[in-house]
Amino acid sequence: MNFSGRHIIVTGASTGIGFATARSLCRRGAHVSLLARSEDKLIKAVGSLERDGGSAVQIAVDVSDCDALMAAFTKAEQAFGPAQGLFANAGAIGEFGPVTECSNALFDDVLRTNITSVFWAIKRVLPSMIERKKGSIVVTGSLASERGMPGNAAYVASKHALLGLARAVASEVAVNGVRVNCILPGLIETPMLAAIDPNASIDAMRQILSKAVPQGRVGTADEVSELVCFLLSDAASHITAQSIAV
């Protein structure tokens, strides 16, 4: 999985799976553009990558703002050229509660972040990939992409839609040498995992959720990053339109 000289854009890159993947890509020679909302967290993340010998830039952006997202992609291209790979990882969990208590605004906000922004990002990188006859896109779905789970209708709906988008685009651009795949993280230790119950400590959440995993533990962001790097790489050159759980 050699990414020497390749430009990969990662959204939701300041923490969790996004940052772990950016780090794994840098260590394999990629130029990585890290996009996320928090500039402070991005500065810290890129500083860590550069100290480790990585080539990276930070671009603060709210992916749910289309104009801002397009401008961020332009900045990324100015730094490293057209993207050979995209890891569309940014997402929002929304709020837990009955569907009757889910506001229209919350539902719209979650879908705009989790699915509409990914649609915009894919549209933005595809032309240059199609022109080069090569490219790889990975999107972050969820176990909620394939299961109906109670208490968070907006999140589940958005992650179902994301898997459908990945499959539709993959089937359309395969002839152009571009691949699109969807990862389905399970119970992975990230800041989003802690958001499931803000009143519980991360240790308590880890113990509770570990009981639901056959291996008896929650996964790590680094374990997910290895799959993302594989799917972005030439090692996965004949894999597209797939959903793979971690």
Side-chain angles (χ1 to χ4, degrees):
M1 296 190 289
N2 182 3
F3 292 89
S4 181
R6 295 189 184 182
H7 177 203
I8 312 294
I9 296 176
V10 180
T11 69
S14 61
T15 61
I17 293 169
F19 174 68
T21 301
R23 182 173 56 204
S24 295
L25 289 165
C26 280
R27 288 174 175 173
R28 291 177 166 98
H31 302 297
V32 183
S33 293
L34 286 76
L35 277 59
R37 284 179 297 180
S38 171
E39 187 164 17
D40 290 342
K41 290 179 180 178
L42 282 172
I43 291 171
K44 182 179 178 181
V46 169
S48 173
L49 297 179
E50 290 179 338
R51 286 191 297 272
D52 196 32
S55 173
V57 296
Q58 76 266 2
I59 304 169
V61 64
D62 180 351
V63 298
S64 69
D65 181 331
C66 185
D67 290 340
L69 183 61
M70 295 302 99
F73 273 71
T74 298
K75 289 181 182 178
E77 290 174 339
Q78 289 170 346
F80 297 130
Q84 283 90 9
L86 167 67
F87 179 33
N89 170 69
I93 197 168
E95 297 176 7
F96 290 90
V99 65
T100 53
E101 297 178 11
C102 177
S103 71
N104 293 346
L106 174 65
F107 192 88
D108 289 344
D109 287 345
V110 172
L111 263 66
R112 190 175 182 86
T113 298
N114 290 1
I115 177 66
T116 309
S117 73
V118 177
F119 169 71
W120 293 332
I122 289 174
K123 278 184 66 178
R124 181 63 175 76
V125 300
L126 271 182
S128 63
M129 290 182 177
I130 291 172
E131 182 179 356
R132 291 192 308 271
K133 298 289 185 182
K134 187 173 185 179
S136 180
I137 297 169
V138 178
V139 302
T140 299
S142 163
L143 294 182
S145 294
E146 294 185 334
R147 301 181 187 179
M149 299 178 178
N152 200 340
Y155 181 77
V156 174
S158 70
K159 292 300 184 179
H160 268 64
L162 188 66
L163 179 53
L165 175 65
R167 287 171 170 167
V169 177
S171 63
E172 180 178 326
V173 299
V175 68
N176 303 112
V178 181
R179 300 179 296 105
V180 186
N181 290 288
C182 182
I183 62 164
L184 308 178
L187 297 175
I188 307 297
E189 190 161 327
T190 67
M192 187 174 285
L193 186 69
I196 292 176
D197 185 353
N199 297 316
S201 69
I202 188 63
D203 287 337
M205 289 301 300
R206 189 186 297 118
Q207 291 178 10
I208 292 169
L209 296 173
S210 291
K211 297 176 182 178
V213 182
Q215 291 164 297
R217 65 174 178 85
V218 295
T220 69
D222 285 331
E223 288 173 312
V224 181
S225 78
E226 289 299 305
L227 173 62
V228 179
C229 287
F230 169 67
L231 292 172
L232 287 171
S233 77
D234 291 344
S237 58
H238 203 52
I239 299 175
T240 195
Q242 300 306 301
S243 58
I244 305 177
V246 187

